[in-house]
Amino acid sequence: QVHLVESGGGLVQPGGSLRLSCAASGSIFSINYMGWYRQAPGLQRELVAGITGGGRTNYADSVKGRFTISRDNGKYTVYLQMNSLKPEDTAVYYCYADLGYGYSRRGDFWGQGTQVTVSS
């Protein structure tokens, strides 16, 4: 089985920075896509940023220029550097992965979520 473990959430003041990490473990042999989603109270889960196995990235318009996604394929880890944080970035952030694992299997996996709170 595959597990995603997130870290790096917390409380930060507006304008501050946080770095989220998501490490995938298990019998993984390829990464097709890894990304970060977030869900604020009363709202639907939305894509924040993603990165393909080839390194192509995509971002929500609301975070372009402030957030940067990167990966370490050797460690099956993806990072989200969040700068110039705003109160509206407050949400639970979830790691997502589309992976090849086991004996030629492919599946979608989610992390448990990490809380990011931007407040003075």
Side-chain angles (χ1 to χ4, degrees):
Q1 189 54 285
V2 173
H3 298 280
L4 303 182
V5 178
E6 301 142 336
S7 61
L11 172 65
V12 64
Q13 292 186 342
S17 298
L18 282 175
R19 188 191 194 211
L20 305 182
S21 299
C22 173
S25 63
S27 301
I28 301 166
F29 61 83
S30 68
I31 297 175
N32 301 306
Y33 184 86
M34 291 187 76
W36 290 92
Y37 286 71
R38 67 186 180 188
Q39 187 167 19
L43 299 179
Q44 289 189 330
R45 190 173 296 188
E46 63 174 358
L47 175 68
V48 177
I51 185 166
T52 68
R56 186 162 50 192
T57 59
N58 61 302
Y59 295 92
D61 288 343
S62 60
V63 307
K64 284 180 181 177
R66 301 188 297 123
F67 291 10
T68 302
I69 190 168
S70 61
R71 80 203 191 293
D72 182 339
N73 279 348
K75 296 181 179 180
Y76 300 126
T77 300
V78 65
Y79 306 95
L80 185 67
Q81 178 66 43
M82 304 185 293
N83 298 328
S84 302
L85 282 160
K86 305 175 181 179
E88 50 264 44
D89 294 317
T90 296
V92 177
Y93 283 69
Y94 296 91
C95 179
Y96 163 82
D98 173 359
L99 303 171
Y101 69 102
Y103 294 100
S104 299
R105 300 182 69 180
R106 180 173 178 174
D108 300 329
F109 300 91
W110 291 91
Q112 78 282 1
T114 185
Q115 177 70 45
V116 172
T117 302
V118 185
S119 175
S120 54

